[in-house]
Structures are given as structure tokens and as C-alpha cells.
Amino acid sequence: MNTQTTAESEQHPIEKWLRSERMPHMWCAGCGVGPTLYAWIRAPDRVGIPREKVVYVSGIGCCGRGSGYLNVDGFHTTHGRAIPFAIGLKLARPELCVSVISGDGDLFSIGGNHFIHACRRNVDLLVICTNNFIYGMTGGQLAPTTLLGDRATTAPYGNVEPSFSTPHLADAAGAVYVARWTSIHLRRLEKSIAEALQMKGFRYIEVLSPCPVNYGRRNKLPEPDDIAEWFRQSSVIRNGANTSEISIEKGKPLILGDFVKRTGKPTFYEVMKELEGRVKPR
Amino acid sequence: MQTSNKVLPSQRVKASRGKIHIIKERCKQCNLCISFCPKQVLRRSDDINEKGYHIPEAIEEPEKDKICMACGFCEVVCPDFAIWIEERIDK
Ligand code: SF4
Ligand code: SF4
């Protein structure tokens, strides 16, 4: 299928990170998952983490398919359970650099409790959520991140339920790093991922991501360009903003940036190690 | 988006130039590379791939300042890893 040649200099710069034989992938034209993965792929190189040390754990949903397309070690787990799998992996192999990249439905609806408790326990993970405001794979049902007034297949008259502001949730539950970008702010996203990869503890990055097919089409943003234009026009970068003031509303600015950086909080692994040293076997 | 190079003596500055590579069978005609190119070098071509999508093509017009500067934005924004830039330095 592919027309690329084999010489390394003649390949896409991230080709060695892809399972080329599985391309083209199943994501729709203009989907934001691809660019998010691109930024994530570039970040370890930037901070000198080898590909062999990087693990990608995903849940179910469009974004969940990513672990099958990338040529890194990974798990494609059951729905909502990406974080528990990743916690187990990180405890057993603490030298690995474990990232969870999954969608808003998987992380905040089905896996919502895992998310808040992982923040609370400060498990050593980087979690990236591609928030497209909808359940994409199953056909555009209402998600806990769907904005007020938006239409979905299960909300034909417009959504009446307030949505989660996921950075606020992560901050309140105790994550040590919290940021939000969009899938067109890719250089900043890459920098942010690189920074988060070097930190310890629970780090969370929300990436607002277009789903032109199942979100855009029902909400007067049918083309990939329309959603990109919305992001471009409304984004305001405010690093260090108070996360209680950054919820997303239609017609209001989208606040992006690095919001939270906490230091000195012991990670779950460190607490367990310390306990191991204290408890004597009987 | 219009960029101006009036401030720089463009004949004397070594500017980056890019060679655009397109992996035809991966493209899904989402148009993002075309609308994000700050130099408006890309446009939709008549050429179609196996799935029937019109792939982009690069048309450089130096006299109108439409030259690929290897900014690489098409490469990062492409959801399908279908376009990439090889940077070269013009002497
Ligand atoms: S349904 Fe939406 S989220 Fe899923 S691949 Fe298509 S554009 Fe992406
Ligand atoms: S961004 Fe990629 S998939 Fe979209 S039109 Fe350009 S080359 Fe094709």
C-alpha cells in the first residue's frame, strides 16, 4: 500500500515509530488523534528517552486504537481500564516511561473513578486525554465532556447537562502537572509532553481534538477546517491560570496552557518503597 | 496569513527551504495541510489515490513568495502521517 521508499533519509521522520504495514489508519479525515500521537512520538526524542523505554496504554474508543498503530510496547485494554493496567505496569517495571493516551469517554465516563483515584494516589503516569466532546467510535452519543447546548445522537434537542472541566478535576484530585492544549497547538503540546515526561507523579494533559464526523457534523462544524478555525480563533494561552475558571463554553475563549506544577509530593511507588523498608517480615 | 521578508536582505540570508514528500495512499483529503501552510504552497490536486481521495500537491511560485520554507506545519498537523518535509539549506 505504501509508496514510501525504504532508505531512512527517504522516510517520514517518525516512520520507525509506526507500524507502517497497518497504515492508513482507521481515523476519519481531520481527526485530532493523529496529530496528538505525532506530538507524543516526538517528545521522548526531545528529552532523550529511548523508544524501548516508552510504553503506551490505551483504553477503548477511537483513540484507543492508537496502541495498535505505533511500533512501541503497549496495551489495548478494556473499556475505561487503561489507568489500572498502567498502574500495574509501572509498579512492576518502574524503569519504564508509561503513558496513557485515551479519549474523554474512556477516561472520564467509564474510567472516571480510576482517573480521580490515580490522581489522589499520585501514581507515576502521564495521562493524555484527547477530548473531542463526544463518543466518536459508537456514533456520536453524549459524553460527560459534551458542551452545554451541543447536539449528539442521544441529545437531539441539545445537551442540558453541564460538562466536566477535566483539568479542574485533575487539579482538585491532586495531579502534579495539569495542562490543556488543542490538536493544532502542536509545538506547544510537544513541549508540554516533553516537560511532563521528565516529571514524576500523576501528570495530566488534555488535548482538545476535532471529531468532524460525529461531533462537528451535528454542531455546525462539519469540516476539519471548521473545528481548527474554532480552536484558532478562540484560544487564549494563559499559563498558570486557576483551573476553576477554565471550563469550556461555546462562544467564550478556550483557555490553554500549563496550569498546575506541583513539586515535592511523593509518588505512590515511593510511598510503597518506603513502607516496604519499614515493615519487617514476620 | 501573509508574511513579509522586507526587513531581511533575503538575497544574503541563507533561508531554509523544504522539499515536500507526500505518501499518497495515506492521505484522506482533510485539507488541513492546505489551510495551515503559511506560504500557501499546497493545493488540492486532481490526482486521486486508491481510496478516491484527492491528494495535495505543491505548487511553488517564487515570484509571489510562495515557497516552502520548511516550517513543517503540514507535517505536524496531518492526522494521517501522509506528508513530510525534508529541510535543505539554499546556498
Ligand atoms: S469518529 Fe471522531 S474521534 Fe473517531 S476517528 Fe472519526 S473523527 Fe476521530
Ligand atoms: S493533512 Fe494529510 S490527510 Fe489531510 S489533506 Fe493533507 S496530506 Fe492529506
Tab-separated table of all heavy atoms in Angstrom, chain A residues 59-60 78-84 87 100 102-121 127 129 135 143-145 164-166 168-170 172-174 202 204:
chain	number	residue	atom	x	y	z
A	59	GLY	N	-7.243	2.761	26.176
A	59	GLY	CA	-8.491	2.090	26.505
A	59	GLY	C	-9.269	1.792	25.239
A	59	GLY	O	-8.699	1.431	24.216
A	60	ILE	N	-10.575	1.960	25.311
A	60	ILE	CA	-11.429	1.674	24.159
A	60	ILE	C	-11.930	2.991	23.579
A	60	ILE	O	-12.124	3.957	24.299
A	60	ILE	CB	-12.610	0.773	24.587
A	60	ILE	CG1	-12.092	-0.580	25.099
A	60	ILE	CG2	-13.606	0.563	23.466
A	60	ILE	CD1	-11.429	-1.458	24.081
A	78	THR	N	-9.233	-2.996	28.310
A	78	THR	CA	-10.696	-2.983	28.278
A	78	THR	C	-11.206	-1.564	28.562
A	78	THR	O	-10.447	-0.692	28.961
A	78	THR	CB	-11.259	-3.952	29.330
A	78	THR	OG1	-10.591	-3.697	30.557
A	78	THR	CG2	-11.031	-5.379	28.923
A	79	HIS	N	-12.487	-1.365	28.363
A	79	HIS	CA	-13.042	-0.010	28.376
A	79	HIS	C	-12.900	0.674	29.740
A	79	HIS	O	-13.378	0.167	30.751
A	79	HIS	CB	-14.517	-0.076	27.978
A	79	HIS	CG	-15.009	1.193	27.355
A	79	HIS	ND1	-14.241	2.314	27.237
A	79	HIS	CD2	-16.200	1.499	26.811
A	79	HIS	CE1	-14.940	3.267	26.643
A	79	HIS	NE2	-16.137	2.807	26.374
A	80	GLY	N	-12.225	1.815	29.737
A	80	GLY	CA	-12.067	2.597	30.956
A	80	GLY	C	-10.939	2.145	31.853
A	80	GLY	O	-10.648	2.793	32.849
A	81	ARG	N	-10.297	1.020	31.518
A	81	ARG	CA	-9.330	0.429	32.441
A	81	ARG	C	-7.884	0.671	32.042
A	81	ARG	O	-6.994	-0.056	32.488
A	81	ARG	CB	-9.568	-1.083	32.590
A	81	ARG	CG	-11.001	-1.489	32.774
A	81	ARG	CD	-11.641	-0.910	34.028
A	81	ARG	NE	-13.079	-1.146	33.981
A	81	ARG	CZ	-14.011	-0.271	34.340
A	81	ARG	NH1	-13.677	0.927	34.799
A	81	ARG	NH2	-15.283	-0.552	34.249
A	82	ALA	N	-7.640	1.638	31.233
A	82	ALA	CA	-6.256	1.905	30.828
A	82	ALA	C	-5.403	2.279	32.037
A	82	ALA	O	-4.275	1.807	32.177
A	82	ALA	CB	-6.218	3.019	29.787
A	83	ILE	N	-5.945	3.113	32.914
A	83	ILE	CA	-5.145	3.571	34.062
A	83	ILE	C	-4.790	2.414	35.007
A	83	ILE	O	-3.627	2.268	35.365
A	83	ILE	CB	-5.837	4.759	34.773
A	83	ILE	CG1	-5.762	5.993	33.860
A	83	ILE	CG2	-5.201	5.059	36.125
A	83	ILE	CD1	-6.435	7.233	34.393
A	84	PRO	N	-5.734	1.558	35.408
A	84	PRO	CA	-5.337	0.427	36.264
A	84	PRO	C	-4.267	-0.463	35.637
A	84	PRO	O	-3.308	-0.861	36.318
A	84	PRO	CB	-6.640	-0.360	36.450
A	84	PRO	CG	-7.716	0.617	36.222
A	84	PRO	CD	-7.189	1.638	35.277
A	87	ILE	N	-1.012	1.386	35.945
A	87	ILE	CA	-0.501	1.427	37.321
A	87	ILE	C	0.249	0.125	37.614
A	87	ILE	O	1.373	0.138	38.118
A	87	ILE	CB	-1.655	1.613	38.338
A	87	ILE	CG1	-2.290	2.989	38.183
A	87	ILE	CG2	-1.141	1.429	39.769
A	87	ILE	CD1	-3.524	3.222	39.056
A	100	VAL	N	-0.578	6.937	29.280
A	100	VAL	CA	-1.922	6.516	28.922
A	100	VAL	C	-2.450	7.578	27.974
A	100	VAL	O	-2.454	8.756	28.308
A	100	VAL	CB	-2.821	6.432	30.172
A	100	VAL	CG1	-4.278	6.197	29.770
A	100	VAL	CG2	-2.351	5.331	31.103
A	102	SER	N	-5.861	8.263	25.866
A	102	SER	CA	-7.178	7.721	25.601
A	102	SER	C	-8.183	8.852	25.448
A	102	SER	O	-7.844	10.014	25.623
A	102	SER	CB	-7.564	6.758	26.719
A	102	SER	OG	-8.349	5.709	26.193
A	103	GLY	N	-9.406	8.493	25.156
A	103	GLY	CA	-10.404	9.517	24.867
A	103	GLY	C	-11.125	9.995	26.116
A	103	GLY	O	-10.929	9.479	27.217
A	104	ASP	N	-11.971	10.990	25.932
A	104	ASP	CA	-12.684	11.578	27.064
A	104	ASP	C	-13.724	10.612	27.639
A	104	ASP	O	-13.905	10.535	28.847
A	104	ASP	CB	-13.331	12.902	26.665
A	104	ASP	CG	-14.095	12.812	25.355
A	104	ASP	OD1	-13.583	12.165	24.432
A	104	ASP	OD2	-15.188	13.372	25.245
A	105	GLY	N	-14.378	9.856	26.793
A	105	GLY	CA	-15.369	8.899	27.278
A	105	GLY	C	-14.712	7.823	28.110
A	105	GLY	O	-15.130	7.501	29.220
A	106	ASP	N	-13.623	7.286	27.587
A	106	ASP	CA	-12.916	6.206	28.256
A	106	ASP	C	-12.341	6.663	29.598
A	106	ASP	O	-12.465	5.966	30.602
A	106	ASP	CB	-11.792	5.720	27.331
A	106	ASP	CG	-11.103	4.472	27.850
A	106	ASP	OD1	-11.753	3.424	27.845
A	106	ASP	OD2	-9.955	4.564	28.275
A	107	LEU	N	-11.729	7.849	29.624
A	107	LEU	CA	-11.047	8.292	30.841
A	107	LEU	C	-11.986	8.918	31.873
A	107	LEU	O	-11.721	8.857	33.061
A	107	LEU	CB	-9.951	9.303	30.494
A	107	LEU	CG	-8.663	8.724	29.917
A	107	LEU	CD1	-7.770	9.832	29.420
A	107	LEU	CD2	-7.929	7.911	30.962
A	108	PHE	N	-13.058	9.564	31.424
A	108	PHE	CA	-13.862	10.334	32.377
A	108	PHE	C	-15.253	9.785	32.613
A	108	PHE	O	-15.917	10.181	33.550
A	108	PHE	CB	-13.933	11.805	31.938
A	108	PHE	CG	-12.598	12.437	32.110
A	108	PHE	CD1	-11.733	12.573	31.043
A	108	PHE	CD2	-12.180	12.809	33.369
A	108	PHE	CE1	-10.468	13.093	31.233
A	108	PHE	CE2	-10.919	13.333	33.569
A	108	PHE	CZ	-10.059	13.473	32.503
A	109	SER	N	-15.723	8.899	31.747
A	109	SER	CA	-17.027	8.323	31.991
A	109	SER	C	-16.848	6.906	32.517
A	109	SER	O	-16.988	6.647	33.703
A	109	SER	CB	-17.818	8.339	30.687
A	109	SER	OG	-19.083	7.828	30.920
A	110	ILE	N	-16.451	6.022	31.641
A	110	ILE	CA	-16.307	4.623	32.027
A	110	ILE	C	-15.163	4.475	33.034
A	110	ILE	O	-15.269	3.733	33.999
A	110	ILE	CB	-16.083	3.722	30.788
A	110	ILE	CG1	-17.280	3.829	29.848
A	110	ILE	CG2	-15.904	2.265	31.184
A	110	ILE	CD1	-17.167	4.862	28.777
A	111	GLY	N	-14.075	5.232	32.818
A	111	GLY	CA	-12.927	5.100	33.723
A	111	GLY	C	-12.779	6.261	34.688
A	111	GLY	O	-11.697	6.477	35.230
A	112	GLY	N	-13.845	6.990	34.937
A	112	GLY	CA	-13.759	8.216	35.744
A	112	GLY	C	-13.177	8.006	37.126
A	112	GLY	O	-12.332	8.777	37.584
A	113	ASN	N	-13.612	6.948	37.792
A	113	ASN	CA	-13.110	6.708	39.141
A	113	ASN	C	-11.632	6.358	39.164
A	113	ASN	O	-10.910	6.776	40.051
A	113	ASN	CB	-13.918	5.605	39.820
A	113	ASN	CG	-14.970	6.198	40.723
A	113	ASN	OD1	-14.659	7.063	41.520
A	113	ASN	ND2	-16.198	5.770	40.582
A	114	HIS	N	-11.200	5.590	38.160
A	114	HIS	CA	-9.776	5.255	38.110
A	114	HIS	C	-8.953	6.522	37.990
A	114	HIS	O	-7.885	6.649	38.574
A	114	HIS	CB	-9.480	4.333	36.931
A	114	HIS	CG	-10.176	3.015	37.025
A	114	HIS	ND1	-10.013	2.189	38.102
A	114	HIS	CD2	-11.028	2.383	36.188
A	114	HIS	CE1	-10.749	1.098	37.923
A	114	HIS	NE2	-11.369	1.195	36.770
A	115	PHE	N	-9.477	7.453	37.202
A	115	PHE	CA	-8.738	8.696	36.979
A	115	PHE	C	-8.562	9.466	38.287
A	115	PHE	O	-7.446	9.810	38.662
A	115	PHE	CB	-9.465	9.562	35.934
A	115	PHE	CG	-8.723	10.817	35.603
A	115	PHE	CD1	-7.744	10.828	34.626
A	115	PHE	CD2	-8.982	11.995	36.283
A	115	PHE	CE1	-7.031	11.981	34.335
A	115	PHE	CE2	-8.273	13.158	35.999
A	115	PHE	CZ	-7.298	13.153	35.021
A	116	ILE	N	-9.665	9.720	39.000
A	116	ILE	CA	-9.522	10.559	40.203
A	116	ILE	C	-8.685	9.863	41.274
A	116	ILE	O	-7.903	10.510	41.966
A	116	ILE	CB	-10.891	11.029	40.765
A	116	ILE	CG1	-11.831	9.871	41.012
A	116	ILE	CG2	-11.515	12.061	39.853
A	116	ILE	CD1	-13.149	10.281	41.659
A	117	HIS	N	-8.819	8.543	41.375
A	117	HIS	CA	-8.041	7.872	42.418
A	117	HIS	C	-6.558	7.776	42.057
A	117	HIS	O	-5.709	7.827	42.939
A	117	HIS	CB	-8.642	6.509	42.742
A	117	HIS	CG	-9.960	6.652	43.425
A	117	HIS	ND1	-10.072	7.118	44.713
A	117	HIS	CD2	-11.233	6.489	42.977
A	117	HIS	CE1	-11.358	7.209	45.038
A	117	HIS	NE2	-12.076	6.831	44.005
A	118	ALA	N	-6.268	7.690	40.769
A	118	ALA	CA	-4.851	7.702	40.367
A	118	ALA	C	-4.242	9.074	40.662
A	118	ALA	O	-3.085	9.171	41.077
A	118	ALA	CB	-4.714	7.343	38.891
A	119	CYS	N	-5.019	10.142	40.470
A	119	CYS	CA	-4.542	11.496	40.826
A	119	CYS	C	-4.281	11.564	42.324
A	119	CYS	O	-3.243	12.049	42.779
A	119	CYS	CB	-5.594	12.561	40.513
A	119	CYS	SG	-5.891	12.879	38.798
A	120	ARG	N	-5.234	11.093	43.089
A	120	ARG	CA	-5.151	11.148	44.547
A	120	ARG	C	-3.928	10.393	45.058
A	120	ARG	O	-3.202	10.867	45.924
A	120	ARG	CB	-6.437	10.542	45.127
A	120	ARG	CG	-6.524	10.443	46.624
A	120	ARG	CD	-7.887	9.886	47.046
A	120	ARG	NE	-8.117	8.513	46.607
A	120	ARG	CZ	-7.672	7.418	47.229
A	120	ARG	NH1	-6.949	7.534	48.318
A	120	ARG	NH2	-7.943	6.215	46.776
A	121	ARG	N	-3.671	9.219	44.481
A	121	ARG	CA	-2.547	8.409	44.954
A	121	ARG	C	-1.225	8.849	44.334
A	121	ARG	O	-0.180	8.335	44.675
A	121	ARG	CB	-2.789	6.943	44.579
A	121	ARG	CG	-4.025	6.381	45.256
A	121	ARG	CD	-4.605	5.253	44.438
A	121	ARG	NE	-4.037	3.973	44.762
A	121	ARG	CZ	-4.213	2.880	44.023
A	121	ARG	NH1	-4.920	2.946	42.909
A	121	ARG	NH2	-3.693	1.752	44.381
A	127	VAL	N	-0.909	10.941	31.688
A	127	VAL	CA	-2.196	10.648	31.060
A	127	VAL	C	-2.534	11.773	30.095
A	127	VAL	O	-2.531	12.942	30.469
A	127	VAL	CB	-3.304	10.481	32.119
A	127	VAL	CG1	-4.653	10.284	31.454
A	127	VAL	CG2	-2.998	9.297	33.015
A	129	CYS	N	-5.479	13.007	27.452
A	129	CYS	CA	-6.859	12.754	27.041
A	129	CYS	C	-7.135	13.541	25.771
A	129	CYS	O	-7.015	14.767	25.759
A	129	CYS	CB	-7.798	13.200	28.146
A	129	CYS	SG	-9.513	13.201	27.624
A	135	TYR	N	-18.748	10.744	22.121
A	135	TYR	CA	-18.320	9.362	21.877
A	135	TYR	C	-18.227	9.192	20.371
A	135	TYR	O	-19.254	9.067	19.702
A	135	TYR	CB	-19.341	8.379	22.433
A	135	TYR	CG	-19.342	8.254	23.939
A	135	TYR	CD1	-20.363	8.787	24.700
A	135	TYR	CD2	-18.315	7.574	24.583
A	135	TYR	CE1	-20.363	8.658	26.080
A	135	TYR	CE2	-18.315	7.444	25.963
A	135	TYR	CZ	-19.334	7.986	26.702
A	135	TYR	OH	-19.329	7.860	28.059
A	143	ALA	N	-21.345	12.605	25.783
A	143	ALA	CA	-20.258	12.224	26.697
A	143	ALA	C	-20.276	13.180	27.885
A	143	ALA	O	-20.924	14.222	27.816
A	143	ALA	CB	-18.923	12.309	25.952
A	144	PRO	N	-19.548	12.851	28.963
A	144	PRO	CA	-19.542	13.780	30.101
A	144	PRO	C	-18.806	15.079	29.791
A	144	PRO	O	-18.786	15.987	30.612
A	144	PRO	CB	-18.826	12.993	31.200
A	144	PRO	CG	-18.139	11.889	30.535
A	144	PRO	CD	-18.831	11.604	29.254
A	145	THR	N	-18.187	15.154	28.607
A	145	THR	CA	-17.464	16.371	28.221
A	145	THR	C	-18.211	17.169	27.149
A	145	THR	O	-17.719	18.200	26.710
A	145	THR	CB	-16.095	15.978	27.660
A	145	THR	OG1	-16.295	14.850	26.813
A	145	THR	CG2	-15.123	15.607	28.748
A	164	PHE	N	-17.839	18.167	32.350
A	164	PHE	CA	-16.650	18.181	33.192
A	164	PHE	C	-15.637	19.166	32.628
A	164	PHE	O	-15.421	19.206	31.420
A	164	PHE	CB	-15.966	16.804	33.151
A	164	PHE	CG	-16.399	15.850	34.212
A	164	PHE	CD1	-16.453	14.485	33.940
A	164	PHE	CD2	-16.696	16.283	35.485
A	164	PHE	CE1	-16.829	13.582	34.920
A	164	PHE	CE2	-17.063	15.381	36.465
A	164	PHE	CZ	-17.134	14.034	36.177
A	165	SER	N	-14.973	19.900	33.513
A	165	SER	CA	-13.755	20.593	33.102
A	165	SER	C	-12.628	19.698	33.589
A	165	SER	O	-12.292	19.675	34.776
A	165	SER	CB	-13.702	21.962	33.780
A	165	SER	OG	-12.446	22.535	33.541
A	166	THR	N	-12.077	18.910	32.686
A	166	THR	CA	-11.183	17.836	33.143
A	166	THR	C	-9.894	18.346	33.805
A	166	THR	O	-9.424	17.717	34.745
A	166	THR	CB	-10.877	16.830	32.024
A	166	THR	OG1	-10.118	17.479	31.023
A	166	THR	CG2	-12.136	16.251	31.415
A	168	HIS	N	-9.655	20.869	35.753
A	168	HIS	CA	-10.074	21.227	37.107
A	168	HIS	C	-10.216	19.972	37.970
A	168	HIS	O	-9.796	19.926	39.125
A	168	HIS	CB	-11.399	21.997	37.042
A	168	HIS	CG	-11.819	22.574	38.358
A	168	HIS	ND1	-13.132	22.862	38.655
A	168	HIS	CD2	-11.121	22.892	39.463
A	168	HIS	CE1	-13.200	23.341	39.889
A	168	HIS	NE2	-11.998	23.373	40.400
A	169	LEU	N	-10.799	18.948	37.362
A	169	LEU	CA	-10.963	17.666	38.065
A	169	LEU	C	-9.598	17.102	38.477
A	169	LEU	O	-9.395	16.693	39.626
A	169	LEU	CB	-11.685	16.699	37.120
A	169	LEU	CG	-12.167	15.382	37.652
A	169	LEU	CD1	-13.312	15.605	38.624
A	169	LEU	CD2	-12.646	14.488	36.516
A	170	ALA	N	-8.652	17.118	37.533
A	170	ALA	CA	-7.320	16.568	37.816
A	170	ALA	C	-6.618	17.380	38.900
A	170	ALA	O	-5.995	16.827	39.807
A	170	ALA	CB	-6.474	16.556	36.540
A	172	ALA	N	-8.047	19.281	41.255
A	172	ALA	CA	-8.704	19.098	42.543
A	172	ALA	C	-8.355	17.748	43.160
A	172	ALA	O	-8.253	17.620	44.375
A	172	ALA	CB	-10.209	19.227	42.378
A	173	ALA	N	-8.151	16.732	42.289
A	173	ALA	CA	-7.837	15.411	42.823
A	173	ALA	C	-6.353	15.248	43.143
A	173	ALA	O	-5.945	14.229	43.675
A	173	ALA	CB	-8.286	14.328	41.839
A	174	GLY	N	-5.524	16.231	42.779
A	174	GLY	CA	-4.132	16.216	43.229
A	174	GLY	C	-3.066	15.915	42.198
A	174	GLY	O	-1.941	15.589	42.567
A	202	PHE	N	1.599	11.971	39.005
A	202	PHE	CA	0.491	11.913	38.063
A	202	PHE	C	0.410	13.204	37.260
A	202	PHE	O	0.123	14.262	37.790
A	202	PHE	CB	-0.831	11.682	38.798
A	202	PHE	CG	-1.944	11.306	37.868
A	202	PHE	CD1	-2.217	9.978	37.603
A	202	PHE	CD2	-2.704	12.283	37.246
A	202	PHE	CE1	-3.236	9.621	36.727
A	202	PHE	CE2	-3.724	11.932	36.375
A	202	PHE	CZ	-3.984	10.598	36.125
A	204	TYR	N	-1.205	15.213	33.878
A	204	TYR	CA	-2.381	15.139	33.011
A	204	TYR	C	-2.354	16.241	31.961
A	204	TYR	O	-2.158	17.412	32.282
A	204	TYR	CB	-3.654	15.257	33.855
A	204	TYR	CG	-4.895	15.348	33.001
A	204	TYR	CD1	-5.236	14.292	32.162
A	204	TYR	CD2	-5.695	16.478	33.003
A	204	TYR	CE1	-6.352	14.377	31.350
A	204	TYR	CE2	-6.821	16.558	32.208
A	204	TYR	CZ	-7.143	15.509	31.373
A	204	TYR	OH	-8.232	15.597	30.561
